Amino acid sequence: MRRSYLAVMILLTFALAISGCSKNEPSGKQEDVSVSENYFIFDTVVSVRVYDERVTKEHFDDIKKLLENINETMNRLEKDSEVSLINHQAGKQAVVVSPETYLVIKTAKQYAELSEGHFDPTVGPLVDLWAIGNGGTAKPEASLIEKEKQLIDYHKLTLDDDKLAVKLEEAGMTLDLGAIAKGYAADVIAEYLQEHDFKSAIIDLGGNILAMGSKPGGAAWAIGIQSPEEKRGAHLGTIPVINKTVVTSGVYERYFIENGEVYHHVLDPYTGYPSWNGLASVTIVTDVSMDADAMSTAVFVMGLEKGMEFVESIDYAEAIFVTEDKKVYVSSGLKDIFKLVHKEYTLAN
Ligand code: ADP
Ligand code: MG
């Protein structure tokens, strides 16, 4: 190591210690140096690792502000968010929102239409009733589930593209962007990094991954697909990607158990219950993380057969389905590149 380089390294390490970032130099080669920062937002750990030593505390602070802004506008649990305003005005009047919030709501409605309501951003009343991951510990009364289910209908989410106005047509309806906002946030972080001339980064929002660019040097990233039954970080397989996002919805994230039955946080708007169809997880691979996030929820609720058909009909998306009996099904575009590494799972197609 040259002396000047060593001095820079020492200074950098010192600066990073102050900022709370962590630095990694796995191979000892300068080109593989990465710096990362963690945030806790949207009830999730967000980690941003940039493979470039020019990244500074200011960049990570900017990213923090971007994340906070998304939370403050789109989280319905923040009482003054734009989404909360829309929910307060349900059945009364339309609310004009920021272009960013409008884009996410419009995209959510498009995926509701494409998936025929398996993904539905008006699922809020059912999410509140079940409260899974938010204090819920028991199955609600069937009559209450039936009652709240009547309020779920994306057709009654009215959008005005000229005014950027959003209205829920019935009192009691609530918008919930929980299944799409994290994907949007990953896209926003990637856009920020690109604007600042960074080429290689891994953005991870609680397992929703955006792999920006390639590894330094041009090689593909090997992205691990989470094994649904194990702790975060245990992988059942990997796929090589360059500039792609890899987003998983599964039963293992937020759930409670009652009488041996697992109740997880992805709800089937058709039944009002957590979606039970034999799937343990669905991973979607696309270019845009917002699309992958919406689609992973949609396809998880659709189930293997319908979901695979849906993915194959969309040319920009690929998918990996994992069933409860540990079979793995991959869409046509991933067949040649998905690598199964976990011996308890078998490739089924
Ligand atoms: P995660 O947040 O764990 O990544 P998802 O992207 O699948 O998982 O989002 C799940 C969240 O989306 C739930 O916590 C809830 O707020 C909301 N949600 C649950 N079921 C649906 C659904 N069918 N359509 C749209 N949003 C949903
Ligand atoms: Mg999702």
Side-chain angles (χ1 to χ4, degrees):
M1 200 179 273
R2 280 184 286 120
R3 277 245 320 267
S4 57
Y5 180 54
L6 184 65
V8 169
M9 293 292 286
I10 291 168
L11 272 173
L12 199 64
T13 308
F14 182 59
L16 293 174
I18 295 174
S19 74
C21 307
S22 69
K23 192 166 188 294
N24 197 5
E25 198 176 0
S27 70
K29 282 190 302 197
Q30 185 173 356
E31 62 178 8
D32 280 355
V33 170
S34 68
V35 188
S36 77
E37 178 68 296
N38 289 326
Y39 311 87
F40 189 78
I41 199 150
F42 316 131
D43 208 16
T44 291
V45 178
V46 174
S47 128
V48 178
R49 180 173 290 281
V50 183
Y51 288 73
D52 191 323
E53 52 184 25
R54 290 172 307 143
V55 70
T56 63
K57 180 177 182 305
E58 282 66 40
H59 292 120
F60 285 123
D61 285 349
D62 285 349
I63 291 171
K64 181 162 189 251
K65 285 192 205 111
L66 292 170
L67 288 170
E68 282 170 353
N69 185 49
I70 295 169
N71 188 49
E72 281 158 19
T73 50
M74 301 184 201
N75 187 343
R76 73 188 179 98
L77 301 176
E78 296 289 333
K79 78 176 184 358
D80 297 323
S81 71
E82 293 182 317
V83 170
S84 288
L85 284 179
I86 294 166
N87 292 344
H88 280 306
Q89 296 299 337
K92 295 183 208 145
Q93 58 183 12
V95 174
V96 175
V97 297
S98 62
E100 294 79 16
T101 302
Y102 192 81
L103 169 74
V104 176
I105 295 173
K106 192 173 167 75
T107 307
K109 181 159 178 175
Q110 282 165 348
Y111 278 104
E113 286 163 350
L114 263 179
S115 72
E116 293 173 330
H118 289 88
F119 169 93
D120 191 328
T122 69
V123 74
L126 274 176
V127 174
D128 285 337
L129 180 66
W130 282 91
I132 295 166
N134 197 19
T137 53
K139 184 166 65 135
E141 295 258 351
S143 60
L144 287 177
I145 294 172
E146 210 43 47
K147 181 165 159 269
E148 300 301 346
K149 208 178 78 177
Q150 305 307 321
L151 287 165
I152 318 303
D153 186 356
Y154 64 92
H155 298 95
K156 294 181 184 160
L157 166 65
T158 313
L159 303 183
D160 182 332
D161 287 352
D162 296 325
K163 295 193 183 121
L164 304 187
V166 181
K167 187 180 177 198
L168 293 166
E169 297 296 340
E170 270 184 51
M173 287 181 78
T174 51
L175 196 57
D176 179 328
L177 300 177
I180 187 168
K182 274 189 279 175
Y184 171 74
D187 294 330
V188 167
I189 297 172
E191 199 183 335
Y192 171 88
L193 290 173
Q194 271 149 16
E195 275 167 11
H196 289 79
D197 207 26
F198 294 109
K199 309 267 188 262
S200 301
I202 297 286
I203 300 158
D204 179 345
L205 289 93
N208 288 19
I209 312 276
L210 192 156
M212 196 182 114
S214 64
K215 279 189 182 176
W221 307 100
I223 301 298
I225 309 302
Q226 165 78 20
S227 161
E229 287 192 348
E230 286 162 89
K231 284 202 298 282
R232 181 169 291 294
H235 295 151
L236 65 86
T238 60
I239 47 167
V241 298
I242 291 178
N243 225 10
K244 292 276 178 200
T245 181
V246 180
V247 176
T248 302
S249 276
V251 298
Y252 54 86
E253 285 284 79
R254 296 167 205 277
Y255 59 87
F256 65 79
I257 298 176
E258 190 184 62
N259 300 329
E261 199 76 69
V262 177
Y263 295 86
H264 61 80
H265 76 315
V266 179
L267 303 172
D268 181 342
Y270 285 91
T271 63
Y273 284 77
S275 124
W276 283 305
N277 52 30
L279 285 180
S281 72
V282 172
T283 299
I284 300 284
V285 184
T286 60
D287 293 339
V288 178
S289 205
M290 177 164 56
D291 292 334
D293 198 2
M295 251 189 262
S296 71
T297 308
V299 168
F300 184 74
V301 179
M302 285 173 151
L304 176 60
E305 208 173 315
K306 232 186 184 162
M308 185 64 94
E309 219 173 276
F310 179 73
V311 169
E312 294 290 6
S313 76
I314 295 181
D315 58 4
Y316 58 84
E318 299 297 336
I320 299 162
F321 295 76
V322 182
T323 61
E324 280 167 351
D325 55 2
K326 296 196 163 58
K327 295 203 171 82
V328 183
Y329 296 79
V330 297
S331 64
S332 49
L334 293 180
K335 283 233 167 83
D336 295 337
I337 59 170
F338 173 74
K339 200 167 116 201
L340 187 70
V341 297
H342 200 301
K343 54 183 182 321
E344 281 171 33
Y345 291 82
T346 50
L347 256 181
N349 70 338

